[in-house]
Amino acid sequence: MKKRLKWGVLGVAKIAREKVIPAMKNSDLHEVYGLASRDLEKATAAAQELGIPKAYGSYEDLIDDPEIDVIYNPLPNDLHVPYTLQAINAGKHVLCEKPLALNAEEIDGLIKARDEKGVKVGEAFMVASNPQWIKARELVRKNYLGKVKAIHGFFSYYNVNEDNIRNVPEMGGGGIWDIGCYPVFTSRFVLEKEPGRLVSMLEYDPRFRTDKLGSVLIDFHEIQMTFTVSTQLTPYQRMLFYGEEKVMEIRIPFNAPADQKNEILIHDGNFLQPDPEKIILPLSNQYTEQAIDFSRAILEDREVPVSLENAKANARILQAIFESDRNERWVNID
């Protein structure tokens, strides 16, 4: 077993250059060894800037390099499945950015290839490795809030750049695929259960033809979960879990900062004494934790943080959101 894994990164996406790659380098378990682009000059420049030893002029060259152990795939959404499958077939472990697929059924092919090749493959929901979400799940498990009966989430940003892939429907753009996946995933993560049905309402941008505003009601079997996401509103994010005794508030649920400690606020309903209980989490970088967890899964032959089966379950819910809006009715999931 190798003591230090060599990771290769497909593309020079902003999230990879600015967040994931710098964070991934903070571990003795692995190194970022290669970076690929369809433009060798671009790959070389980015590799030099990030201190990565090797640059490639195509994704295929990186995937076929026998020195690479693990592939990180942050390509546009529509390229997740084909390049993840290609990497699996080359015998590589793969961590692919969310959403892993724009069609849940496509993940079946990845599961089959994963099992045949005996590699580790997972979806890059960094929140699954974030201490604040692990703590939130623990609090619900211990019934710290009393019986949870409702959840509310909100996630928005403002982006009207016509060249941005988030505004290109053919590339999997729009609010539900880009950020709606987060309140869905974190609710499933904390509750440790799957929903039964949902109903949704979406508003589309007439220029981009992508969903720019969406609200969803999800029935988690006696727990009602609602969330709103938008690609054209003031940037904001929050997740709230309402129990019969207390309310849990995740203040920065998705873009948790790495340079300050995260807080979980617990409200007990006493508005005469409004100061909530604060649970302070250790300073951490969720992208660092994600890479460490995935490398450990490989080196220690343990389960990856977000499995392909988990990714498929999340994708099915996202697809049901579009189906519900299109047909103006509740959609059963289970």
Side-chain angles (χ1 to χ4, degrees):
M1 185 71 71
K2 293 184 179 181
K3 292 184 179 179
R4 200 157 192 249
L5 298 168
K6 289 184 176 180
W7 284 64
V9 180
L10 300 180
V12 291
K14 182 177 180 181
I15 187 175
R17 295 194 323 271
E18 296 185 0
K19 292 185 177 181
V20 182
I21 293 175
M24 282 171 59
K25 296 171 73 173
N26 298 333
S27 174
D28 293 332
L29 298 177
H30 54 248
E31 65 172 312
V32 182
Y33 180 77
L35 180 65
S37 171
R38 289 169 173 168
D39 182 330
L40 182 57
E41 284 189 22
K42 188 180 292 186
T44 301
Q48 290 176 349
E49 177 186 347
L50 294 164
I52 298 173
K54 203 165 181 179
Y56 307 79
S58 75
Y59 305 144
E60 291 76 11
D61 286 347
L62 185 149
I63 290 171
D64 292 338
D65 187 341
E67 291 193 88
I68 296 293
D69 303 299
V70 194
I71 301 291
Y72 170 58
N73 180 358
L75 295 171
N77 294 343
D78 61 318
L79 298 180
H80 286 174
V81 169
Y83 280 101
T84 294
L85 182 59
Q86 187 173 333
I88 294 171
N89 286 332
K92 311 296 187 185
H93 308 285
V94 188
L95 178 64
C96 181
E97 263 304 327
K98 60 79 200 166
L100 179 62
L102 300 174
N103 183 327
E105 301 309 315
E106 291 184 330
I107 299 177
D108 289 336
L110 300 181
I111 292 173
K112 183 174 184 291
R114 175 201 65 189
D115 294 345
E116 289 176 351
K117 293 294 183 177
V119 294
K120 302 290 185 181
V121 187
E123 187 173 29
F125 266 115
M126 71 291 185
V127 289
S129 297
N130 189 311
Q132 72 174 345
W133 281 108
I134 294 170
K135 183 64 175 180
R137 182 173 60 181
E138 176 190 324
L139 292 172
V140 171
R141 277 179 179 173
K142 292 181 176 179
N143 206 35
Y144 191 70
L145 311 178
K147 189 174 182 180
V148 173
K149 294 294 294 180
I151 303 171
H152 180 65
F154 199 99
F155 196 5
S156 61
Y157 58 76
Y158 195 88
N159 182 338
V160 291
N161 180 355
E162 64 181 10
D163 296 322
N164 191 287
I165 61 173
R166 292 168 180 82
N167 293 321
V168 181
E170 295 79 12
M171 301 178 79
I176 294 299
W177 285 117
D178 188 40
I179 52 179
C181 57
Y182 283 109
V184 171
F185 178 84
T186 50
S187 296
R188 294 175 53 244
F189 182 82
V190 169
L191 296 177
E192 299 180 281
K193 63 190 302 184
E194 298 297 334
R197 59 177 184 155
L198 63 78
V199 65
S200 67
M201 179 173 65
L202 305 179
E203 180 181 341
Y204 285 80
D205 186 293
R207 298 164 296 171
F208 307 137
R209 295 177 292 110
T210 53
D211 54 295
K212 66 176 182 178
L213 176 66
S215 294
V216 185
L217 170 60
I218 304 179
D219 176 10
F220 271 93
H221 305 287
E222 298 185 348
I223 301 172
Q224 296 181 13
M225 188 271 177
T226 60
F227 74 87
T228 296
V229 294
S230 178
T231 61
Q232 295 182 29
L233 283 178
T234 303
Y236 185 79
Q237 55 184 270
R238 198 66 46 105
M239 285 291 291
L240 292 148
F241 293 76
Y242 300 88
E244 291 179 339
E245 299 173 17
K246 299 177 181 179
V247 176
M248 177 172 65
E249 179 181 1
I250 314 294
R251 295 182 61 246
I252 312 177
F254 312 121
N255 298 124
D259 59 351
Q260 59 182 277
K261 295 179 179 179
N262 295 312
E263 295 179 348
I264 295 177
L265 304 185
I266 305 294
H267 307 270
D268 64 4
N270 185 351
F271 296 105
L272 296 178
Q273 295 178 327
D275 290 337
E277 174 189 352
K278 292 184 179 181
I279 299 175
I280 310 298
L281 284 305
L283 196 70
S284 67
N285 185 316
Q286 59 187 351
Y287 295 102
T288 300
E289 300 300 329
Q290 174 181 253
I292 289 173
D293 284 350
F294 198 80
S295 288
R296 281 182 175 157
I298 297 168
L299 295 169
E300 300 171 14
D301 193 22
R302 62 169 69 171
E303 184 65 45
V304 299
V306 184
S307 68
L308 291 180
E309 289 79 4
N310 193 331
K312 181 179 178 181
N314 219 65
R316 287 182 66 233
I317 297 168
L318 301 181
Q319 283 181 271
I321 291 171
F322 290 102
E323 181 183 347
S324 172
D325 175 71
R326 186 167 56 248
N327 297 318
E328 298 183 344
R329 62 174 177 80
W330 284 90
V331 172
N332 292 324
I333 301 168
D334 58 5

